[in-house]
Amino acid sequence: MVFPFRLPEVVYLGKGAVENLSQEVKKCNATRVLLITDPGVQKAGLDKQVIEAIEKGGAQVEVFAEVEAEPSTDTVDRVGQLVRENGYQLLVGLGGGSPMDVTKGASVLATNGGSIKDYVGIELIPQRGIPAILIPTTSGTGSEVTQNAIFAFKEEQVKKGIVSRYLLPKVAIVDPVLTLSCPPHITAATGVDALVHAVESFTALKATPHTDIYALEAIRLISANLRTAVSNGSDLEAREKMAMGSFFAGVSLANAGVGAVHALAYPLGGKFHVSHGVSNALLFAPVIEFNCISNLAKFARVAEAMGEPVAGKSLREAAMLAAKAVRELVADVGIPKSLRDVGVSESDIEFLTLSAEKQTRLLTNNPRLMTRQDIRNIYRKAL
Ligand SMILES: [Fe+2]
């Protein structure tokens, strides 16, 4: 078998990693840089040191700080146009998944033109974008190492993904110090999203021995440190392990993909505006319970990596502990327990089911075939 594997050109990971930004700006020979971020990151003051580092790298920097949560295609198109009109040579994306995905989208729009809607699908972007450097301020999305970007299509009330090698950034800078001010509810939601990336990519049909190494270590790191990071955000050791865990999960996701948790979560974001992490968390245990029998050995390893006592248990018993461990973790970090808690009712299930069914890119990577009735049953279970 041949295992394709992709990563950004350079990755800096660890405390103080952001100090490498100046030299990377210099290497890009950029004189005009656009920093793309959101109001929350600006409010936390995280943009200041990044602006200083870009200037130290010899470039003039302007800031676009209007990226909204779950960004729309309109926002990406607007930033793409801004980049084309002003001739920026380098984009720096700072924040969670939303500013990073907008940065990736704007980078390819700068050279390809048109609307981001023109490129929905797999490998439909004709040429490389302008260079992008991504700096996450949450430990979750993994967007800094993936070739995917997800945007909200307002008219259809759905979120759709774009996959292209040209969405991989040139440089990723993962510095846990930047996550210290992330509030508990965002730490919880993004941390669970990272765990979903690890578990889904580990059990995905496209998983390889290469991605398994990253996924398993991510499951260990996140399971052991998320509770502490949520309870005490200033614990730098927990933050560092979470940054590493979410990065490893991102590497695995980038190369093995994700599955039904994400497929069933997207319609919640599109119609009910539930954040990506919370949407995933609500579907996480029910989907694992459904998927479990597809690969008992792998789900037993998930349970073990999450600290469950699997010794002496049958493979089936051990595998079933994975869903239990996930349920406990999600509850401990204070995420809503059911779809009802986020405003979904029985009458919405048909819309959600038909919408999730369209996520064929994800569902065909899920370890167990999922029919329309299966999807309906999982939503009911999560209600
Ligand atoms: Fe995700």
Side-chain angles (χ1 to χ4, degrees):
M1 271 181 88
V2 176
F3 309 127
F5 196 79
R6 290 192 187 125
L7 277 179
E9 204 172 283
V10 190
V11 176
Y12 296 99
L13 172 64
K15 276 181 281 184
V18 77
E19 285 161 22
N20 294 282
L21 179 57
S22 304
Q23 60 172 15
E24 287 300 329
V25 170
K26 251 183 224 155
K27 281 204 178 93
C28 287
N29 286 322
T31 53
R32 296 201 69 196
V33 175
L34 181 66
L35 172 63
I36 299 167
T37 187
D38 65 34
V41 169
Q42 244 188 351
K43 206 174 156 203
L46 296 174
D47 56 331
K48 289 194 191 80
Q49 69 181 113
V50 169
I51 291 170
E52 275 171 26
I54 296 169
E55 286 171 345
K56 207 172 138 199
Q60 196 186 38
V61 58
E62 276 154 57
V63 183
F64 178 90
E66 292 165 45
V67 177
E68 74 276 32
E70 320 299 317
S72 70
T73 52
D74 295 345
T75 303
V76 193
D77 289 350
R78 198 174 135 211
V79 181
Q81 198 181 352
L82 196 68
V83 175
R84 286 196 298 273
E85 284 171 4
N86 292 291
Y88 299 111
Q89 299 134 337
L90 169 67
L91 303 182
V92 176
L94 175 72
S98 302
M100 289 196 284
D101 279 2
V102 169
T103 304
K104 289 154 87 167
S107 150
V108 293
L109 286 182
T111 53
N112 290 279
S115 162
I116 201 69
K117 290 180 188 167
D118 304 335
Y119 307 109
V120 173
I122 299 171
E123 296 296 354
L124 297 179
I125 299 173
Q127 54 176 323
R128 188 177 297 284
I130 64 168
I133 298 177
L134 298 184
I135 311 172
T137 59
T138 63
S139 292
T141 143
S143 178
E144 71 278 8
V145 280
T146 73
Q147 47 188 347
N148 313 335
I150 313 291
F151 301 112
F153 285 63
K154 281 187 192 162
E155 314 77 44
E156 300 165 66
Q157 295 190 316
V158 288
K159 288 167 81 178
K160 291 187 196 173
I162 299 168
V163 183
S164 163
R165 66 185 60 200
Y166 299 136
L167 290 178
L168 257 186
K170 188 177 172 69
V171 179
I173 298 178
V174 185
D175 189 337
V177 176
L178 297 177
T179 68
L180 286 170
S181 57
C182 184
H185 70 284
I186 296 178
T187 302
T190 52
V192 171
D193 182 32
L195 184 62
V196 175
H197 296 158
V199 173
E200 287 218 279
S201 59
F202 182 64
T203 53
L205 295 180
K206 285 196 292 182
T208 71
H210 198 162
T211 55
D212 283 357
I213 295 168
Y214 284 93
L216 260 191
E217 189 56 19
I219 295 170
R220 283 192 198 103
L221 285 165
I222 297 164
S223 307
N225 292 283
L226 181 56
R227 289 175 176 88
T228 309
V230 171
S231 311
N232 176 15
S234 57
D235 186 321
L236 187 53
E237 199 188 326
R239 291 292 198 181
E240 190 170 27
K241 299 229 165 100
M242 280 303 300
M244 213 182 285
S246 77
F247 172 77
F248 289 164
V251 172
S252 182
L253 142 78
N255 292 282
V258 284
V261 180
H262 275 75
L264 272 63
Y266 281 140
L268 290 172
K271 180 156 185 190
F272 298 92
H273 308 292
V274 182
S275 79
H276 177 66
V278 171
S279 307
N280 272 333
L282 289 166
L283 275 319
F284 198 2
V287 170
I288 288 192
E289 274 157 7
F290 175 84
N291 280 345
C292 210
I293 58 148
S294 66
N295 194 335
L296 292 175
K298 272 210 155 172
F299 281 99
R301 289 175 77 193
V302 170
E304 187 181 19
M306 291 191 74
E308 289 298 309
V310 297
K313 296 222 163 37
S314 72
L315 210 49
R316 190 177 184 283
E317 284 171 330
M320 296 298 166
L321 290 177
K324 173 188 162 274
V326 160
R327 246 181 236 290
E328 287 173 358
L329 180 58
V330 168
D332 283 351
V333 297
I335 288 177
K337 284 191 178 56
S338 69
L339 292 181
R340 281 189 206 281
D341 293 341
V342 295
V344 177
S345 60
E346 176 71 37
S347 59
D348 298 311
I349 287 188
E350 212 46 30
F351 168 85
L352 292 171
T353 302
L354 298 180
S355 184
E357 200 181 40
K358 290 185 194 142
Q359 301 284 348
T360 48
R361 174 176 67 86
L362 302 169
L363 291 173
T364 51
N365 194 31
N366 194 60
R368 185 174 171 192
L369 180 73
M370 209 174 256
T371 65
R372 182 181 291 181
Q373 189 54 38
D374 293 329
I375 297 174
R376 214 177 265 131
N377 290 344
I378 291 170
Y379 278 128
R380 287 220 172 95
K381 210 169 173 186
L383 199 59

